Amino acid sequence: MALVVAAGVVVLLARWLVGAAPVRDFLVSYPGEYPLPDGVPAGFPAWLQWQHFFNAFFIVLIIRSGWQVRRQTRPPAFWTRKRPGGRKISLTLWFHQSLDLLWLLNGVVFVVLLFATSQWARLVPTSWAVFPNAISALLQYVSLDWPTENGWVNYNSLQQLMYFAVVFLAAPLAAITGARMSGIWPKNATRLNRIYPIELARALHFPAMLFFVFFVIVHVALVFATGALRNLNHMYSGSDEVNWAGFGIFVASLAVMAGAWIAARPVVLAPLASLTGRVSAR
C-alpha cells in the first residue's frame, strides 16, 4: 500500500512539474529524442531479431541458475573437468557457467554485427542532446503522458541510454565478475588477485543480476503498455505493421523458454555435463 501511495505522489509531482511553464518549454526544446546520424536504416534486420531471442533465452536461464547457485546448500550432483586437477563444482554451477559462455558468444556476435552495420547508432549516443532528451522522456513517462513511441525508426533517449547501459556496462560487468569467481581465473596470480579480490566480484555480481531482472520486467511491461502488437512485430517479425504475427512468434519463443526452464533438471543436465567432464553424486 505504501508503494502505491508513493507512486501516486511521484506521478502527481511529475504532472505538476510538466505543467509549469519552464518545464513545458524544456519539453518542447527536448521532446525526448534526437535525430539519428544519416544513413541509419529504419527497422530491424533478421540477425538482430535472432540475437534478441537468444539473448532473452540465455538471460532468463542464467538468472534462474544463478539464483539456484546462490540458494543451493545441497547440490544434486557435481561436475569435474576431465583433465587432471580439474576443480569440482556443482552441476548447477556448471549449467550456469555454460550458459554464461553461450550468452557471451552471442553477445560478441551481436556487438560485431552491430558495429559492422549502421545499427550501432541506435544504441550508442552520438550527441550530448541524449541527456536532456532522456530527462524529458523520464518526465513524460512518470507523468503518464508518455513520449511518442516509434522504435522502428528511433528509440527515445531514455531507451537508448538504458540499452547502452545493458549492452556496454551491465553485461561486461556481469562477465568480468563472473569470470573472477569461476575456475578459469588463475588462482596463483597473487598480484592480480590482490588488485581484483574475489570479494569485490561477489559484491558486484549479484547486483548486476538484480539489474537485469529489473530491466527485463520494465522492458516487457513497456513493450506491452506502449503498443504491444506493433512493438512485438518490430522485434519478432521485422515489420512495422499492427497485426498478430509478432505476437505469435513471441508466444512461441516463450514456449521454448518455458520448455528449457522445465527441462533444466539434473536428469537432463547430467548427460550433457558428462560430455565435458565427470558427473558424480559427491
Side-chain angles (χ1 to χ4, degrees):
M1 183 63 182
L3 290 176
V4 174
V5 173
V9 171
V10 170
V11 170
L12 290 175
L13 178 61
R15 293 185 71 86
W16 174 78
L17 280 174
V18 299
V23 178
R24 286 201 307 269
D25 294 340
F26 173 79
L27 296 179
V28 171
S29 300
Y30 300 100
E33 66 179 47
Y34 64 94
L36 291 175
D38 294 337
V40 180
F44 301 93
W47 65 264
L48 188 56
Q49 297 165 41
W50 279 103
Q51 287 286 318
H52 184 267
F53 164 72
F54 284 126
N55 187 59
F57 178 84
F58 290 134
I59 199 64
V60 166
L61 294 179
I62 285 171
I63 291 172
R64 176 184 184 267
S65 59
W67 182 251
Q68 286 179 318
V69 169
R70 185 177 178 86
R71 301 286 295 176
Q72 204 169 62
T73 56
R74 295 177 61 88
F78 294 87
W79 175 86
T80 308
R81 194 185 300 272
K82 288 183 177 179
R83 69 184 185 187
R87 189 176 67 132
K88 180 184 291 186
I89 61 176
S90 71
L91 183 63
T92 309
L93 182 55
W94 170 85
F95 183 50
H96 182 70
Q97 293 182 349
S98 299
L99 289 168
D100 287 341
L101 290 174
L102 293 173
W103 180 60
L104 286 173
L105 177 61
N106 183 69
V108 170
V109 173
F110 171 75
V111 171
V112 169
L113 290 175
L114 195 69
F115 284 98
T117 66
S118 298
Q119 292 293 331
W120 66 269
R122 287 178 172 271
L123 303 187
V124 180
T126 57
S127 169
W128 290 108
V130 67
F131 294 108
N133 275 293
I135 295 173
S136 172
L138 179 61
L139 283 172
Q140 293 174 66
Y141 277 123
V142 177
S143 67
L144 302 184
D145 185 14
W146 291 0
T148 302
E149 295 289 339
N150 192 15
W152 184 254
V153 176
N154 190 8
Y155 294 128
N156 69 54
S157 292
L158 186 60
Q159 288 176 308
Q160 186 181 54
L161 287 178
M162 181 58 69
Y163 294 154
F164 177 86
V166 168
V167 174
F168 298 105
L169 298 178
L173 178 64
I176 294 170
T177 53
R180 177 63 181 90
M181 296 185 292
S182 73
I184 67 173
W185 189 266
K187 293 182 179 179
N188 299 323
T190 306
R191 184 177 180 182
L192 184 60
N193 291 338
R194 186 170 60 252
I195 295 173
Y196 184 20
I198 193 170
E199 292 78 13
L200 177 60
R202 287 172 178 161
L204 295 175
H205 196 66
F206 184 65
M209 186 202 78
L210 294 180
F211 172 80
F212 278 107
V213 172
F214 168 80
F215 170 77
V216 169
I217 292 173
V218 174
H219 178 63
V220 173
L222 288 177
V223 164
F224 277 86
T226 59
L229 295 182
R230 189 183 182 199
N231 289 334
L232 292 173
N233 267 351
H234 288 176
M235 193 50 70
Y236 286 94
S237 69
S239 167
D240 193 34
E241 298 178 4
V242 179
N243 56 45
W244 291 88
F247 180 83
I249 300 173
F250 170 70
V251 171
S253 73
L254 288 182
V256 173
M257 294 181 196
W261 183 290
I262 295 170
R265 301 173 183 273
V267 66
V268 175
L269 297 180
L272 295 175
S274 65
L275 297 175
T276 58
R278 182 173 62 88
V279 177
S280 59
R282 59 170 60 185

